[in-house]
Amino acid sequence: MTNVDTEKYIEFVKGVTSEPSLNYGAMGSRLAELEVTGTNTSQLLTAALGLTAESGEFTEVVKKIIFQGKPYNEDNVFHMKRELGDICWYIAQACMALDTTFDEVIEMNVDKLQARYPGGSFDVHNSREQRRRRRLMLTAFNYITAFWSVVVMNCIQPANWEYCYRVDQWLVPELHEGWKLYTKEVVPYQTERDFLKGL
């Protein structure tokens, strides 16, 4: 474990932190500057802090259900719905601060989603792109898990060091190959497919 000089660490953090984050006077000046340009800082702060707090409360209920044995029952569903209502309240605050509406926010989200999906349209229930991304994430997770259990756990043992290759000999080429697969520069099993088509 690395020994850290916490005083130097705190000094570093302070050195890279903005003046409005460190100094009340600078923060007041920044808030006044933003207000003059039309920013509704009070409502924006209310929305940001409220969304974070209420999302945390919703997450807390989910955490207790999933990891701590709290039952998924009518009472807890009701509790989560109430927290979602609180989240909506702060979304409304954000909409007012940004001089927008729920409708505009949802429309912008739909536009963003349509731009992500092939053909410029998306179907929430049947999205090939979404399934492809989920498959890709699962594949990456499986590779990372296998890598950890087979390579890392074996190569940290001094007795195995002579059998373990350097990272640049195996990891870099594999990442390069993975990138080619991801960008579809290389199609998996293309040689085999071509061979089977020729039969």
Side-chain angles (χ1 to χ4, degrees):
M1 190 165 164
T2 306
N3 256 348
V4 176
D5 183 336
T6 53
E7 286 183 21
K8 282 188 178 177
Y9 178 78
I10 289 170
E11 189 178 309
F12 165 75
V13 170
K14 186 176 180 182
V16 295
T17 302
S18 70
E19 195 58 29
S21 295
L22 295 172
N23 180 291
Y24 179 77
M27 182 180 71
S29 296
R30 178 63 181 150
L31 291 173
E33 179 185 321
L34 288 167
E35 287 284 340
V36 167
T37 62
T39 307
N40 187 341
T41 54
S42 300
Q43 216 159 23
L44 204 54
L45 273 171
T46 298
L49 296 173
L51 281 168
T52 303
E54 296 301 337
S55 296
E57 289 185 27
F58 178 83
T59 304
E60 181 70 18
V61 178
V62 173
K63 180 194 78 170
K64 287 181 178 178
I65 290 170
I66 303 295
F67 299 111
Q68 297 172 354
K70 193 171 189 166
Y72 182 84
N73 59 21
E74 195 176 313
D75 288 342
N76 289 321
V77 169
F78 177 75
H79 186 179
M80 287 186 284
K81 287 178 182 178
R82 274 195 333 206
E83 298 305 337
L84 284 176
D86 292 341
I87 290 168
C88 287
W89 194 86
Y90 285 106
I91 290 173
Q93 290 285 339
C95 287
M96 288 185 279
L98 299 172
D99 193 27
T100 189
T101 63
F102 276 118
D103 291 335
E104 184 182 21
V105 170
I106 296 297
E107 287 166 10
M108 289 173 71
N109 184 252
V110 169
D111 289 344
K112 182 175 86 171
L113 291 171
Q114 285 176 335
R116 279 189 192 162
Y117 292 90
S121 64
F122 83 102
D123 179 348
V124 174
H125 303 290
N126 189 19
S127 165
R128 286 183 304 180
E129 181 64 16
Q130 196 171 19
R131 285 196 310 265
R132 186 188 73 78
R133 287 181 188 197
R134 273 198 299 262
R135 239 185 353 263
L136 183 64
M137 290 303 294
L138 181 60
T139 301
F141 176 77
N142 288 338
Y143 280 134
I144 291 166
T145 304
F147 166 76
W148 181 264
S149 58
V150 174
V151 178
V152 175
M153 295 312 290
N154 281 314
C155 287
I156 61 172
Q157 305 295 326
N160 295 333
W161 286 354
E162 67 182 281
Y163 306 107
C164 293
Y165 291 106
R166 293 188 334 250
V167 171
D168 64 312
Q169 294 174 321
W170 61 270
L171 181 59
V172 173
E174 287 300 319
L175 289 173
H176 183 67
E177 189 63 27
W179 179 253
K180 285 199 230 174
L181 289 169
Y182 178 74
T183 58
K184 297 185 179 153
E185 183 182 329
V186 172
V187 178
Y189 305 110
Q190 188 60 52
T191 307
E192 290 85 348
R193 289 177 188 177
D194 294 340
F195 175 77
L196 291 171
K197 281 180 188 175
L199 292 178

